[in-house]
Amino acid sequence: VERQVRVSVLYLVTFLIRMADGAVPAAPSGLQAAFVTRSEVALSWTPTPSATHYKAELRLSGAGDYVSFGPGATFSPASLRVGQLMQDSPYDFRVYAGNADGWSAAAELLGVVPLESPSPP
């Protein structure tokens, strides 16, 4: 019985040290949008140094839950291009930075509207 207690305590200490050593990345900074076409938006941000991957979500502004990007989205380390958006409809976007320890808080960009006359990317 004494041996089992030592193993359990050792496991718990190892787990606590791992949790203390790991650091969830900071949220991406500088999130901005460029209007590419009437139905596409390009998002860009400053990369987070400890991030190994990113995830992004969108919703119609103020309308329900956010959904993750799927088909129609193209990621790179510090940008995202999403299509199939409705012209003149406002969208809210969130981008997270992640690593083996978890996900950052969200960087948010609210009320982005794809317009008739696109701005240069």
Side-chain angles (χ1 to χ4, degrees):
V1 176
E2 185 176 330
R3 186 177 210 171
Q4 290 176 342
V5 170
R6 285 183 189 166
V7 170
S8 297
V9 170
L10 179 60
Y11 176 75
L12 179 60
V13 169
T14 302
F15 177 75
L16 291 175
I17 290 171
R18 165 117 170 83
M19 293 298 289
D21 287 346
V24 174
S29 61
L31 182 60
Q32 58 185 337
F35 306 107
V36 178
T37 70
R38 291 178 288 196
S39 63
E40 280 188 333
V41 171
L43 300 177
S44 63
W45 56 89
T46 303
T48 303
S50 63
T52 56
H53 47 275
Y54 296 90
K55 72 176 178 179
E57 301 172 329
L58 86 157
R59 70 176 180 185
L60 284 171
S61 283
D65 296 330
Y66 281 86
V67 294
S68 295
F69 287 109
T74 305
F75 277 92
S76 78
S79 67
L80 164 73
R81 190 172 182 159
V82 61
Q84 303 172 356
L85 300 175
M86 293 183 292
Q87 178 183 335
D88 298 326
S89 296
Y91 287 88
D92 298 336
F93 294 93
R94 295 193 301 202
V95 177
Y96 301 84
N99 63 19
D101 295 306
W103 292 102
S104 69
E108 292 186 312
L109 192 58
L110 306 175
V112 176
V113 181
L115 299 174
E116 177 83 39
S117 300
S119 300

PDB file of all heavy atoms in Angstrom, residues 12-36:
ATOM      1  N   LEU A  12       1.140  12.798  -9.404  1.00  0.00           N
ATOM      2  CA  LEU A  12       0.490  14.084  -9.183  1.00  0.00           C
ATOM      3  C   LEU A  12       1.507  15.226  -9.248  1.00  0.00           C
ATOM      4  O   LEU A  12       1.273  16.235  -9.899  1.00  0.00           O
ATOM      5  CB  LEU A  12      -0.227  14.092  -7.835  1.00  0.00           C
ATOM      6  CG  LEU A  12      -0.934  15.396  -7.461  1.00  0.00           C
ATOM      7  CD1 LEU A  12      -1.998  15.740  -8.494  1.00  0.00           C
ATOM      8  CD2 LEU A  12      -1.528  15.298  -6.080  1.00  0.00           C
ATOM      9  N   VAL A  13       2.660  15.069  -8.632  1.00  0.00           N
ATOM     10  CA  VAL A  13       3.689  16.100  -8.665  1.00  0.00           C
ATOM     11  C   VAL A  13       4.174  16.307 -10.095  1.00  0.00           C
ATOM     12  O   VAL A  13       4.314  17.430 -10.562  1.00  0.00           O
ATOM     13  CB  VAL A  13       4.857  15.739  -7.720  1.00  0.00           C
ATOM     14  CG1 VAL A  13       6.045  16.665  -7.952  1.00  0.00           C
ATOM     15  CG2 VAL A  13       4.394  15.803  -6.278  1.00  0.00           C
ATOM     16  N   THR A  14       4.394  15.224 -10.827  1.00  0.00           N
ATOM     17  CA  THR A  14       4.827  15.340 -12.219  1.00  0.00           C
ATOM     18  C   THR A  14       3.777  16.082 -13.032  1.00  0.00           C
ATOM     19  O   THR A  14       4.096  16.948 -13.839  1.00  0.00           O
ATOM     20  CB  THR A  14       5.082  13.941 -12.814  1.00  0.00           C
ATOM     21  OG1 THR A  14       6.056  13.288 -12.021  1.00  0.00           O
ATOM     22  CG2 THR A  14       5.564  14.039 -14.257  1.00  0.00           C
ATOM     23  N   PHE A  15       2.532  15.765 -12.852  1.00  0.00           N
ATOM     24  CA  PHE A  15       1.444  16.434 -13.562  1.00  0.00           C
ATOM     25  C   PHE A  15       1.405  17.917 -13.227  1.00  0.00           C
ATOM     26  O   PHE A  15       1.296  18.755 -14.109  1.00  0.00           O
ATOM     27  CB  PHE A  15       0.108  15.775 -13.198  1.00  0.00           C
ATOM     28  CG  PHE A  15      -1.072  16.433 -13.828  1.00  0.00           C
ATOM     29  CD1 PHE A  15      -1.363  16.250 -15.171  1.00  0.00           C
ATOM     30  CD2 PHE A  15      -1.895  17.265 -13.084  1.00  0.00           C
ATOM     31  CE1 PHE A  15      -2.443  16.864 -15.757  1.00  0.00           C
ATOM     32  CE2 PHE A  15      -2.977  17.891 -13.668  1.00  0.00           C
ATOM     33  CZ  PHE A  15      -3.260  17.689 -14.999  1.00  0.00           C
ATOM     34  N   LEU A  16       1.532  18.272 -11.961  1.00  0.00           N
ATOM     35  CA  LEU A  16       1.504  19.679 -11.566  1.00  0.00           C
ATOM     36  C   LEU A  16       2.688  20.439 -12.139  1.00  0.00           C
ATOM     37  O   LEU A  16       2.552  21.570 -12.582  1.00  0.00           O
ATOM     38  CB  LEU A  16       1.463  19.801 -10.043  1.00  0.00           C
ATOM     39  CG  LEU A  16       0.163  19.344  -9.390  1.00  0.00           C
ATOM     40  CD1 LEU A  16       0.294  19.389  -7.872  1.00  0.00           C
ATOM     41  CD2 LEU A  16      -1.011  20.189  -9.843  1.00  0.00           C
ATOM     42  N   ILE A  17       3.859  19.833 -12.185  1.00  0.00           N
ATOM     43  CA  ILE A  17       5.027  20.486 -12.763  1.00  0.00           C
ATOM     44  C   ILE A  17       4.813  20.692 -14.252  1.00  0.00           C
ATOM     45  O   ILE A  17       5.088  21.741 -14.797  1.00  0.00           O
ATOM     46  CB  ILE A  17       6.308  19.663 -12.491  1.00  0.00           C
ATOM     47  CG1 ILE A  17       6.659  19.729 -11.003  1.00  0.00           C
ATOM     48  CG2 ILE A  17       7.468  20.162 -13.343  1.00  0.00           C
ATOM     49  CD1 ILE A  17       7.755  18.787 -10.585  1.00  0.00           C
ATOM     50  N   ARG A  18       4.278  19.695 -14.938  1.00  0.00           N
ATOM     51  CA  ARG A  18       4.005  19.832 -16.380  1.00  0.00           C
ATOM     52  C   ARG A  18       3.032  20.971 -16.625  1.00  0.00           C
ATOM     53  O   ARG A  18       3.218  21.769 -17.517  1.00  0.00           O
ATOM     54  CB  ARG A  18       3.433  18.522 -16.933  1.00  0.00           C
ATOM     55  CG  ARG A  18       2.792  18.666 -18.282  1.00  0.00           C
ATOM     56  CD  ARG A  18       3.492  17.853 -19.328  1.00  0.00           C
ATOM     57  NE  ARG A  18       2.763  17.811 -20.562  1.00  0.00           N
ATOM     58  CZ  ARG A  18       2.794  18.749 -21.498  1.00  0.00           C
ATOM     59  NH1 ARG A  18       3.506  19.820 -21.321  1.00  0.00           N
ATOM     60  NH2 ARG A  18       2.120  18.616 -22.620  1.00  0.00           N
ATOM     61  N   MET A  19       2.004  21.069 -15.825  1.00  0.00           N
ATOM     62  CA  MET A  19       1.031  22.144 -15.998  1.00  0.00           C
ATOM     63  C   MET A  19       1.676  23.502 -15.734  1.00  0.00           C
ATOM     64  O   MET A  19       1.404  24.463 -16.425  1.00  0.00           O
ATOM     65  CB  MET A  19      -0.170  21.945 -15.065  1.00  0.00           C
ATOM     66  CG  MET A  19      -1.005  20.717 -15.409  1.00  0.00           C
ATOM     67  SD  MET A  19      -1.729  20.816 -17.049  1.00  0.00           S
ATOM     68  CE  MET A  19      -2.939  22.075 -16.775  1.00  0.00           C
ATOM     69  N   ALA A  20       2.562  23.604 -14.780  1.00  0.00           N
ATOM     70  CA  ALA A  20       3.207  24.878 -14.470  1.00  0.00           C
ATOM     71  C   ALA A  20       4.195  25.273 -15.559  1.00  0.00           C
ATOM     72  O   ALA A  20       4.344  26.432 -15.879  1.00  0.00           O
ATOM     73  CB  ALA A  20       3.913  24.786 -13.118  1.00  0.00           C
ATOM     74  N   ASP A  21       4.892  24.279 -16.151  1.00  0.00           N
ATOM     75  CA  ASP A  21       5.883  24.569 -17.184  1.00  0.00           C
ATOM     76  C   ASP A  21       5.236  24.977 -18.502  1.00  0.00           C
ATOM     77  O   ASP A  21       5.751  25.801 -19.223  1.00  0.00           O
ATOM     78  CB  ASP A  21       6.779  23.352 -17.432  1.00  0.00           C
ATOM     79  CG  ASP A  21       7.764  23.121 -16.308  1.00  0.00           C
ATOM     80  OD1 ASP A  21       7.934  24.034 -15.490  1.00  0.00           O
ATOM     81  OD2 ASP A  21       8.345  22.026 -16.252  1.00  0.00           O
ATOM     82  N   GLY A  22       4.111  24.363 -18.862  1.00  0.00           N
ATOM     83  CA  GLY A  22       3.457  24.635 -20.137  1.00  0.00           C
ATOM     84  C   GLY A  22       2.822  26.008 -20.129  1.00  0.00           C
ATOM     85  O   GLY A  22       2.356  26.499 -19.115  1.00  0.00           O
ATOM     86  N   ALA A  23       2.842  26.641 -21.271  1.00  0.00           N
ATOM     87  CA  ALA A  23       2.255  27.971 -21.375  1.00  0.00           C
ATOM     88  C   ALA A  23       1.380  28.038 -22.613  1.00  0.00           C
ATOM     89  O   ALA A  23       1.846  27.782 -23.725  1.00  0.00           O
ATOM     90  CB  ALA A  23       3.345  29.031 -21.428  1.00  0.00           C
ATOM     91  N   VAL A  24       0.134  28.349 -22.393  1.00  0.00           N
ATOM     92  CA  VAL A  24      -0.777  28.588 -23.502  1.00  0.00           C
ATOM     93  C   VAL A  24      -0.322  29.878 -24.184  1.00  0.00           C
ATOM     94  O   VAL A  24       0.055  30.835 -23.515  1.00  0.00           O
ATOM     95  CB  VAL A  24      -2.222  28.729 -22.968  1.00  0.00           C
ATOM     96  CG1 VAL A  24      -3.183  29.129 -24.057  1.00  0.00           C
ATOM     97  CG2 VAL A  24      -2.665  27.429 -22.303  1.00  0.00           C
ATOM     98  N   PRO A  25      -0.322  29.921 -25.515  1.00  0.00           N
ATOM     99  CA  PRO A  25       0.152  31.136 -26.184  1.00  0.00           C
ATOM    100  C   PRO A  25      -0.751  32.343 -25.940  1.00  0.00           C
ATOM    101  O   PRO A  25      -1.920  32.186 -25.578  1.00  0.00           O
ATOM    102  CB  PRO A  25       0.144  30.767 -27.666  1.00  0.00           C
ATOM    103  CG  PRO A  25      -0.622  29.514 -27.786  1.00  0.00           C
ATOM    104  CD  PRO A  25      -0.721  28.887 -26.449  1.00  0.00           C
ATOM    105  N   ALA A  26      -0.202  33.506 -26.138  1.00  0.00           N
ATOM    106  CA  ALA A  26      -0.996  34.738 -26.075  1.00  0.00           C
ATOM    107  C   ALA A  26      -1.918  34.775 -27.293  1.00  0.00           C
ATOM    108  O   ALA A  26      -1.649  34.131 -28.309  1.00  0.00           O
ATOM    109  CB  ALA A  26      -0.076  35.951 -26.085  1.00  0.00           C
ATOM    110  N   ALA A  27      -2.972  35.543 -27.187  1.00  0.00           N
ATOM    111  CA  ALA A  27      -3.883  35.706 -28.321  1.00  0.00           C
ATOM    112  C   ALA A  27      -3.159  36.390 -29.474  1.00  0.00           C
ATOM    113  O   ALA A  27      -2.276  37.221 -29.254  1.00  0.00           O
ATOM    114  CB  ALA A  27      -5.092  36.543 -27.901  1.00  0.00           C
ATOM    115  N   PRO A  28      -3.511  36.049 -30.712  1.00  0.00           N
ATOM    116  CA  PRO A  28      -2.915  36.755 -31.846  1.00  0.00           C
ATOM    117  C   PRO A  28      -3.194  38.258 -31.729  1.00  0.00           C
ATOM    118  O   PRO A  28      -4.248  38.662 -31.246  1.00  0.00           O
ATOM    119  CB  PRO A  28      -3.635  36.167 -33.056  1.00  0.00           C
ATOM    120  CG  PRO A  28      -4.152  34.843 -32.593  1.00  0.00           C
ATOM    121  CD  PRO A  28      -4.454  35.023 -31.139  1.00  0.00           C
ATOM    122  N   SER A  29      -2.259  39.074 -32.157  1.00  0.00           N
ATOM    123  CA  SER A  29      -2.454  40.520 -32.093  1.00  0.00           C
ATOM    124  C   SER A  29      -2.558  41.095 -33.499  1.00  0.00           C
ATOM    125  O   SER A  29      -2.193  40.446 -34.480  1.00  0.00           O
ATOM    126  CB  SER A  29      -1.298  41.180 -31.336  1.00  0.00           C
ATOM    127  OG  SER A  29      -0.076  40.944 -32.007  1.00  0.00           O
ATOM    128  N   GLY A  30      -3.042  42.299 -33.594  1.00  0.00           N
ATOM    129  CA  GLY A  30      -3.104  43.000 -34.871  1.00  0.00           C
ATOM    130  C   GLY A  30      -4.086  42.408 -35.865  1.00  0.00           C
ATOM    131  O   GLY A  30      -3.902  42.545 -37.072  1.00  0.00           O
ATOM    132  N   LEU A  31      -5.131  41.745 -35.384  1.00  0.00           N
ATOM    133  CA  LEU A  31      -6.108  41.134 -36.288  1.00  0.00           C
ATOM    134  C   LEU A  31      -6.786  42.213 -37.123  1.00  0.00           C
ATOM    135  O   LEU A  31      -7.283  43.204 -36.597  1.00  0.00           O
ATOM    136  CB  LEU A  31      -7.148  40.348 -35.480  1.00  0.00           C
ATOM    137  CG  LEU A  31      -8.225  39.610 -36.270  1.00  0.00           C
ATOM    138  CD1 LEU A  31      -7.610  38.592 -37.214  1.00  0.00           C
ATOM    139  CD2 LEU A  31      -9.189  38.928 -35.299  1.00  0.00           C
ATOM    140  N   GLN A  32      -6.769  42.024 -38.436  1.00  0.00           N
ATOM    141  CA  GLN A  32      -7.390  42.989 -39.342  1.00  0.00           C
ATOM    142  C   GLN A  32      -7.960  42.269 -40.552  1.00  0.00           C
ATOM    143  O   GLN A  32      -7.590  41.131 -40.840  1.00  0.00           O
ATOM    144  CB  GLN A  32      -6.403  44.058 -39.759  1.00  0.00           C
ATOM    145  CG  GLN A  32      -5.161  43.538 -40.429  1.00  0.00           C
ATOM    146  CD  GLN A  32      -4.168  44.649 -40.721  1.00  0.00           C
ATOM    147  OE1 GLN A  32      -4.528  45.820 -40.813  1.00  0.00           O
ATOM    148  NE2 GLN A  32      -2.908  44.295 -40.875  1.00  0.00           N
ATOM    149  N   ALA A  33      -8.848  42.942 -41.274  1.00  0.00           N
ATOM    150  CA  ALA A  33      -9.491  42.369 -42.457  1.00  0.00           C
ATOM    151  C   ALA A  33      -9.231  43.238 -43.675  1.00  0.00           C
ATOM    152  O   ALA A  33      -9.155  44.457 -43.577  1.00  0.00           O
ATOM    153  CB  ALA A  33     -10.989  42.248 -42.229  1.00  0.00           C
ATOM    154  N   ALA A  34      -9.100  42.578 -44.820  1.00  0.00           N
ATOM    155  CA  ALA A  34      -9.030  43.264 -46.115  1.00  0.00           C
ATOM    156  C   ALA A  34     -10.138  42.664 -46.969  1.00  0.00           C
ATOM    157  O   ALA A  34     -10.304  41.455 -46.994  1.00  0.00           O
ATOM    158  CB  ALA A  34      -7.677  43.045 -46.774  1.00  0.00           C
ATOM    159  N   PHE A  35     -10.908  43.489 -47.620  1.00  0.00           N
ATOM    160  CA  PHE A  35     -12.018  43.008 -48.421  1.00  0.00           C
ATOM    161  C   PHE A  35     -11.485  42.612 -49.785  1.00  0.00           C
ATOM    162  O   PHE A  35     -10.984  43.438 -50.530  1.00  0.00           O
ATOM    163  CB  PHE A  35     -13.095  44.082 -48.527  1.00  0.00           C
ATOM    164  CG  PHE A  35     -13.527  44.555 -47.181  1.00  0.00           C
ATOM    165  CD1 PHE A  35     -13.148  45.799 -46.712  1.00  0.00           C
ATOM    166  CD2 PHE A  35     -14.261  43.736 -46.357  1.00  0.00           C
ATOM    167  CE1 PHE A  35     -13.516  46.221 -45.456  1.00  0.00           C
ATOM    168  CE2 PHE A  35     -14.644  44.155 -45.091  1.00  0.00           C
ATOM    169  CZ  PHE A  35     -14.266  45.403 -44.636  1.00  0.00           C
ATOM    170  N   VAL A  36     -11.579  41.346 -50.110  1.00  0.00           N
ATOM    171  CA  VAL A  36     -10.990  40.825 -51.332  1.00  0.00           C
ATOM    172  C   VAL A  36     -12.002  40.896 -52.470  1.00  0.00           C
ATOM    173  O   VAL A  36     -11.706  41.390 -53.537  1.00  0.00           O
ATOM    174  CB  VAL A  36     -10.490  39.379 -51.119  1.00  0.00           C
ATOM    175  CG1 VAL A  36      -9.914  38.819 -52.394  1.00  0.00           C
ATOM    176  CG2 VAL A  36      -9.455  39.355 -50.004  1.00  0.00           C
TER     177      VAL A  36
END
